[in-house]
Structure formats: C-alpha cells, structure tokens
C-alpha cells in the first residue's frame, strides 16, 4: 500500500467515526441545548472468541472511547498494520509458519489502544459453568455464553465508564446463524423497545472489515481466550507484552 493510499484509508476511517459522532449526538438539539455541551458520545467496539459448542472458554472483549480517541487510534493503527493487511484477524494469522514475525507485529500493535486511553472491557465464561448453572434452568432465548458475556460488557460500560449524561454506541462484530438471530432480538426487544437505559444510542453488528476499530477487540478477545486456556502457550504469550 503506497503512502497516499494509506493516508486516504486513514482519512476514510476517521470520516466514518466522525459520521457516527454526528448521527448519534444530534439528539442534543431536540432537547435542552446545554445537554449537547456536557454529553459525550462514546463508542464501544466488541469482538468474541471461543463461542462454539466445542470450545471451553467464551470471551467477549473490546475497547471504549470517544471519537477523538478513536480517530487518533486509527491514524496509528493502520500504518502499524503494514502495507499488505487491511484488518487484523488473529485466528487467521499463520501461527505455525510465522510465529516470530507475528509476535513482533503484535508487540507493535498492542500498546496503541492504550496510548490513547481507550478503555478495555472483557467478560469471560467457561462453557462448563454455563452447562452446570444455566442450561436447563432458565430460558435459552437470551442466555447463551456469548449473549451473557455481551450483555455484561454492555452493563459494565454503562455502570463503570459512561457518565450519567453520556451516550454510548455499541458496535459488535457481525454474528451468523442462530447467534445473530438471538442478538438481534435482544437488541430490538430489550434495548430498543424497552429502553432500559437512555444512554444506549444503539447496538449494531457490522462486518469486521468495515472498520479497523474492531481490530483491537479481536486482538484482546483472542489473547484472553488463549491465555485463559493455557498461559504458557505460544499464542497466549505472543501478545501479552
């Protein structure tokens, strides 16, 4: 990727973030005008790892920040990815063939979200615990390991990070099959219709290639998943620094 193309891509990502900020803060003009001055739009990007039935540990993780933090992140992250990579997808890296190169790349990428004070959030659940405590005891409609981890991430952001007048846009990696159907129902019935918390601007599911802002969520979820399974494994150690 030539420097001009890389610069254009950074500008495109920043424009995407600014568009989200404009769309989801326009409510300020419909109410008290001073609300717009004190409200902050936060965007939380989340990804998952270990959601399959044959997995042992389910992880949903990501980062939260305002549009300035995310725009600054993008400007550093895209050049650090390198010329031949559009997004980071940890599971698709050639671990067995290029471990040293991968570890070096992850050591470069890992500090970037923290450099701009993006706040990490993660929730983990062992599938065996879910089977013992949840399965067969409550309705399965909204209580899969992934759903419980995802909704707890939302709750954590609202209770620990967002202020009383902030608005939060939640963006998750797009789901497939039954998981997608369940999460869409959860979003529409519980969060949009019931409006449990006025600070939730929206909850959306987008393809990972839509934005590099999902990349650090993929990194964090993958890292915590493998660290939870075996802290001494190569995959667990690669991104820990």
């Amino acid at each position: 990727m030539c420097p001009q193309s890389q610069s254009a891509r950074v500008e495109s990502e920043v424009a995407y973030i600014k568009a989200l900020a404009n769309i989801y803060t326009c409510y300020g003009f419909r109410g008290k005008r001073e609300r717009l001055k004190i409200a902050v739009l936060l965007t939380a990007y989340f990804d998952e790892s270990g959601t399959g039935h044959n997995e042992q540990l389910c992880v949903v993780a990501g980062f939260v920040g305002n549009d300035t933090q995310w725009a600054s992140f993008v400007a550093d992250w895209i050049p650090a990815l390198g010329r031949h990579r559009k997004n980071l997808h940890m599971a698709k890296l050639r671990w067995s063939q290029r471990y040293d190169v991968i570890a070096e790349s992850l050591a470069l990428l890992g500090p970037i979200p923290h450099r701009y004070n993006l706040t990490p959030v993660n929730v983990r659940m062992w599938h065996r615990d879910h089977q013992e405590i949840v399965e067969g005891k409550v309705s399965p409609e909204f209580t899969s390991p992934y759903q419980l981890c995802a909704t707890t991430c939302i709750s954590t952001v609202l209770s620990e990070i967002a202020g009383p007048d902030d608005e939060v846009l939640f963006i998750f990696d797009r789901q497939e099959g039954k998981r997608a159907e369940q999460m869409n129902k959860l979003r529409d019935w519980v969060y949009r219709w019931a409006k449990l918390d006025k600070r939730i601007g929206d909850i959306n599911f987008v393809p990972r290639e839509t934005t590099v802002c999902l990349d650090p969520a993929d990194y964090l979820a993958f890292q915590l998943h493998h660290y939870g399974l075996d802290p001494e494994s190569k995959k667990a150690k690669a991104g820990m620094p």
Side-chain angles (χ1 to χ4, degrees):
M1 184 184 295
C2 66
Q4 292 84 354
S5 298
Q6 197 171 67
S7 177
R9 189 174 166 212
V10 170
E11 291 178 4
S12 175
E13 287 275 0
V14 171
Y16 167 81
I17 294 168
K18 288 183 177 179
L20 290 180
N22 289 333
I23 291 169
Y24 287 98
T25 55
C26 64
Y27 75 90
F29 291 104
R30 296 202 297 267
K32 296 180 180 179
R33 293 191 63 83
E34 60 268 23
R35 181 179 175 85
L36 185 62
K37 298 177 183 178
I38 61 175
V40 174
L41 174 71
L42 299 174
T43 308
Y45 292 89
F46 287 105
D47 204 347
E48 76 287 340
S49 184
T51 57
H53 291 295
N54 296 324
E55 297 282 359
Q56 300 179 56
L57 178 64
C58 177
V59 180
V60 176
F63 288 87
V64 186
N66 59 41
D67 59 319
T68 300
Q69 290 172 300
W70 281 115
S72 299
F73 158 82
V74 164
D76 271 10
W77 186 267
I78 289 178
L81 276 177
R83 294 180 299 169
H84 304 296
R85 192 184 298 161
K86 183 177 180 181
N87 290 89
L88 177 69
H89 191 181
M90 298 284 282
K92 292 185 178 180
L93 297 178
R94 291 182 287 175
W95 291 95
S96 60
Q97 302 173 29
R98 305 185 65 192
Y99 178 81
D100 291 340
V101 175
I102 291 171
E104 183 179 351
S105 176
L106 294 181
L108 178 64
L109 292 167
I112 296 177
H114 306 282
R115 187 178 302 157
Y116 298 105
N117 295 317
L118 293 169
T119 304
V121 175
N122 77 88
V123 176
R124 290 163 277 183
M125 174 177 286
W126 291 99
H127 284 265
R128 63 172 180 266
D129 291 339
H130 183 269
Q131 292 166 2
E132 293 176 5
I133 300 170
V134 179
E135 288 186 8
K137 300 177 177 65
V138 297
S139 170
E141 187 69 41
F142 300 131
T143 56
S144 70
Y146 170 74
Q147 287 177 299
L148 291 174
C149 288
T151 53
T152 306
C153 282
I154 293 172
S155 176
T156 300
V157 172
L158 295 173
S159 62
E160 302 292 337
I161 300 173
D165 295 296
D166 294 341
E167 185 174 11
V168 188
L169 172 62
F170 292 92
I171 297 180
F172 289 82
D173 179 38
R174 185 174 63 185
Q175 303 303 304
E176 302 292 340
K178 186 176 181 180
R179 193 162 67 241
E181 180 183 348
Q182 290 175 330
M183 285 304 294
N184 285 329
K185 285 182 180 179
L186 183 68
R187 176 193 61 190
D188 295 340
W189 295 358
V190 177
Y191 293 106
R192 286 184 177 172
W193 179 73
K195 297 181 180 179
L196 293 183
D197 195 312
K198 66 179 182 180
R199 294 174 297 170
I200 299 176
D202 204 352
I203 301 173
N204 287 321
F205 301 88
V206 302
R208 65 175 62 250
E209 62 270 15
T210 301
T211 173
V212 294
C213 293
L214 279 168
D215 287 6
D218 176 80
Y219 186 143
L220 184 60
F222 182 93
Q223 191 68 49
L224 292 171
H225 178 217
H226 284 277
Y227 188 84
L229 295 176
D230 181 5
E232 298 302 317
S233 71
K234 279 192 169 185
K235 290 182 179 180
K237 289 181 175 181
M240 289 309 295

